[in-house]
Amino acid sequence: MTAQTDIQSDTAGTVTTVYKVSGMSCGHCEGSVSAEISALPGVSSVKAVASTGEVTVVSAAPLEEEAVRAAVDEAGFELVGRA
């Protein structure tokens, strides 16, 4: 999957979405964002990368962007949108 891909359906019945988040600068930031997004229903994995600002989310179905935005806000960062 490339960063230009908005949403990708995986063969295992999951969806992978890449988001851009501003403000992450370290591993603690990555952990905070990952923990908040992981708590959303249907999310099976989250990988946040501070150096690129990208957060890759694997979920059972596409997530509501507002739910992701609220989770990122709760972690203290800003969701820019999809990568």
Side-chain angles (χ1 to χ4, degrees):
M1 185 174 114
T2 64
Q4 291 79 24
T5 302
D6 229 20
I7 298 176
Q8 176 181 337
S9 272
D10 299 331
T11 56
T14 60
V15 176
T16 301
T17 310
V18 180
Y19 298 96
K20 288 294 274 186
V21 174
S22 67
M24 293 189 300
S25 60
C26 64
H28 178 71
C29 299
E30 294 169 346
S32 295
V33 170
S34 294
E36 290 295 335
I37 295 175
S38 291
L40 295 175
V43 172
S44 56
S45 74
V46 179
K47 178 176 166 100
V49 180
S51 62
T52 63
E54 291 187 347
V55 180
T56 303
V57 181
V58 179
S59 55
L63 299 173
E64 293 286 332
E65 189 164 318
E66 284 308 308
V68 177
R69 184 176 308 282
V72 172
D73 285 349
E74 185 67 27
F77 302 95
E78 180 183 355
L79 177 67
V80 176
R82 291 190 182 134

